[in-house]
Amino acid sequence: MPEDFLAGLLWYTLRVKKILQSIYNLVGCADYLPATLAATLLGGATGGEGSLPRLGIAILSNLLLFSLAVIYQKIKNAPIAATEPNCETRNPIAAGQVSVRFSRTLCAVLVLLSLALAALLGPLNIVLGLLGVLIAIALSHRSLNLGSSALMHLGKQQPLLSVIFGLSGYLAVAQKVKFETILLTIFFLAFGFLFNAWTAEKTSRPLSRPLLILLLVFASASAYVLFIVLEVIPAWVLLLIVLISSALALIKHRFNPHQQSLPQILFDSLAIATAVSLIISYLVQEFF
C-alpha cells in the first residue's frame, strides 16, 4: 500500500513537472513583463488613488493575456519556424518539445483565467478583456495576421495591447471612464508605433517622415498633458524614472552580453524604471 502511494505520488510529481516545463518553454523568460507591468501601473496612476488588490488583479489578467498572444503566435508560426535554424529556442512547438494540442489547451485556459480575473473588476474590464483576446488572435491568425506589419509587431510590447493594459489599470482604480482615457490611448498608441517604427528594418520604412513627426507630436502632447498639466505621476516619481532608466541604459550599454540595439536598450531600461518607480510610489502611498 505505501509503495502504491509513493508510486502514484511520483507519477503525479513527474506529470506536474512536465506540464510546468512545457509552460515555461512556451512562455519563455517573459521579457514582456516590464512593459506590461509599466502600462498597467501607469493606467492605475492616471486613474488616481484606488485599491491595490484591484490593480494587482488587473496586472495578473494582463500578463495572462499577453502570454496568450505569445503562445498563439508560436502555434501559428510553428510550420514556418520548423524550417529555420535554432527553432528549439525560438519555437518549442516547431522543435517538438511541446505539442500543438497542449498549446491550444493552454491558450483556452489563459483566456478563461484572464477573463475571470477581469470579471472581478467590472463589466468594462470584461469588455476590454474580450477585446484583448480578439487582438491577440488577430495578430497571428492566418486570415488577418496583423502582427506581420512592422507597426503591429508582437515583441516586448504591442501598441494595441498596451492600450488595453493601460485602460484596464485605469478602470481597476477609477471604475469609470473619464477624458484621461483618451489621453492614455493616444499616448500608448503613438509611443508604441514610434518604437516599432524605430526598431524596424531600415529597408522596410513602415512610416513616412511626416507621419513619424505627427506621431512624435501626439506622443509629446499627450505626455505633456498627462505628466505636466494633470500631474498623474508625482514629480519625484518622474525624476526617479529618469534616474533609474539612465543608470540601467548605461549599464546595459557597457555590459551588453546579448548585443542589443540602442532602441531595445532604451526601451528595456525605461520599462523597468517605470515599473519599479510606480511600484515604489504605490508602496509609499499605501504605507506612509
Side-chain angles (χ1 to χ4, degrees):
M1 191 71 177
E3 291 79 4
D4 294 339
F5 173 77
L6 291 176
L9 181 61
L10 179 61
W11 184 86
Y12 279 113
T13 303
L14 294 176
R15 184 66 176 172
V16 171
K17 181 181 178 181
K18 183 180 179 180
I19 293 175
L20 293 177
Q21 183 63 43
S22 298
I23 294 175
Y24 176 78
N25 290 336
L26 286 172
V27 176
C29 60
D31 53 3
Y32 49 85
L33 174 61
T36 303
L37 190 61
T40 310
L41 290 174
L42 182 56
T46 306
E49 297 184 1
S51 172
L52 281 181
R54 288 178 57 86
L55 190 58
I57 292 173
I59 291 172
L60 183 55
S61 176
N62 291 338
L63 289 174
L64 294 175
L65 179 57
F66 207 116
S67 299
L68 164 69
V70 171
I71 296 173
Y72 188 78
Q73 182 187 60
K74 292 180 179 179
I75 294 174
K76 291 301 179 181
N77 293 345
I80 300 176
T83 62
E84 298 177 351
N86 300 326
C87 65
E88 295 86 357
T89 57
R90 297 180 180 181
N91 196 320
I93 302 174
Q97 297 175 351
V98 183
S99 67
V100 176
R101 181 179 179 182
F102 176 84
S103 303
R104 289 175 176 172
T105 303
L106 182 58
C107 284
V109 172
L110 290 176
V111 170
L112 293 176
L113 290 177
S114 179
L115 293 179
L117 290 171
L120 298 176
L121 301 176
L124 291 178
N125 287 83
I126 297 178
V127 174
L128 282 176
L130 289 172
L131 182 58
V133 171
L134 294 177
I135 292 173
I137 294 175
L139 289 173
S140 303
H141 197 275
R142 292 178 182 176
S143 61
L144 297 173
N145 201 17
L146 294 179
S148 61
S149 170
L151 294 179
M152 293 290 187
H153 175 67
L154 180 65
K156 296 182 179 180
Q157 65 91 32
Q158 205 286 326
L160 298 181
L161 290 179
S162 295
V163 173
I164 297 294
F165 300 156
L167 293 181
S168 67
Y170 178 91
L171 291 174
V173 174
Q175 302 184 39
K176 56 183 178 180
V177 177
K178 295 182 180 180
F179 77 98
E180 288 93 340
T181 56
I182 301 176
L183 294 174
L184 269 179
T185 302
I186 295 173
F187 174 77
F188 282 123
L189 286 178
F191 181 81
F193 288 146
L194 279 174
F195 174 75
N196 285 349
W198 190 19
T199 55
E201 296 182 3
K202 294 182 179 180
T203 56
S204 62
R205 292 185 179 181
L207 288 175
S208 62
R209 183 170 295 181
L211 286 178
L212 286 174
I213 294 175
L214 184 63
L215 281 177
L216 184 60
V217 170
F218 275 113
S220 302
S222 58
Y224 177 81
V225 175
L226 283 172
F227 305 133
I228 304 301
V229 177
L230 299 179
E231 296 182 354
V232 297
I233 298 178
W236 69 269
V237 178
L238 288 176
L239 179 60
L240 190 60
I241 292 174
V242 172
L243 293 177
I244 295 178
S245 60
S246 300
L248 287 176
L250 289 175
I251 294 173
K252 281 179 170 287
H253 184 68
R254 178 66 178 82
F255 307 99
N256 191 8
H258 302 294
Q259 298 299 318
Q260 289 180 306
S261 63
L262 180 60
Q264 288 289 349
I265 292 176
L266 293 177
F267 177 80
D268 290 346
S269 302
L270 182 60
I272 295 173
T274 302
V276 171
S277 300
L278 288 176
I279 289 174
I280 294 175
S281 173
Y282 279 108
L283 292 177
V284 169
Q285 294 177 6
E286 184 72 14
F287 296 105
F288 298 98

